[in-house]
Amino acid sequence: MKKLLVFLCFICSVGAFAQTNPIDGNWKGTRETPNGTFEINYTFKVEGDKLTGTWKTQFGETKIENGKVDGKKFSYSISFNDMTINSTGELINENEIITKNERGEMKLTRVK
């Protein structure tokens, strides 16, 4: 019985450390452009204070660069077509993120 109790405590403690960051996952938003509205999909992965992932539109996919996380706030860069866009973001709740950059603000919703 004592071994079972120790084993259950171990499993619970491993589960507590294995929890993912609430920013992790797939997110979707839309951006208005002179050529119309298009969808943007993000995949975020947080490891410690580092943010990695991808940014995908109908025109292609690129990696997130220079990603950093500080609590619910984060920052990253996207490079494409010889241009780099620096963005910031904040987790509003488990299903909503707001990102901001020189092109404006965008609401992202979690894709389940």
Side-chain angles (χ1 to χ4, degrees), residues 26-84:
N26 297 315
W27 299 85
K28 176 173 63 173
T30 57
R31 171 83 59 197
E32 297 296 325
T33 73
N35 297 322
T37 302
F38 70 95
E39 189 174 284
I40 300 173
N41 292 282
Y42 287 89
T43 300
F44 292 131
K45 178 65 180 157
V46 177
E47 294 175 354
D49 64 352
K50 184 177 178 183
L51 176 70
T52 60
T54 57
W55 176 83
K56 184 177 181 181
T57 70
Q58 64 201 37
F59 304 110
E61 182 174 322
T62 189
K63 290 185 177 186
I64 292 171
E65 303 169 338
N66 306 314
K68 294 181 173 77
V69 176
D70 184 10
K72 293 183 176 188
K73 296 184 179 195
F74 57 96
S75 61
Y76 60 94
S77 301
I78 303 283
S79 297
F80 63 98
N81 296 338
D82 298 324
M83 177 174 41
T84 299

Side-chain angles (χ1 to χ4, degrees), residues 5 14 23 39 63 72 74-75 78 92 95 105-106:
L5 183 59
V14 168
I23 296 169
E39 189 174 284
K63 290 185 177 186
K72 293 183 176 188
F74 57 96
S75 61
I78 303 283
I92 303 303
N95 293 310
E105 186 175 292
M106 181 172 48

Side-chain angles (χ1 to χ4, degrees), residues 7 28 48 80 82 99 103 110:
F7 177 72
K28 176 173 63 173
F80 63 98
D82 298 324
T99 63
R103 296 176 180 231
R110 184 178 297 280

Side-chain angles (χ1 to χ4, degrees), residues 92-105:
I92 303 303
N93 60 53
E94 68 181 31
N95 293 310
E96 185 178 9
I97 285 177
I98 299 293
T99 63
K100 297 177 184 178
N101 60 42
E102 73 249 12
R103 296 176 180 231
E105 186 175 292

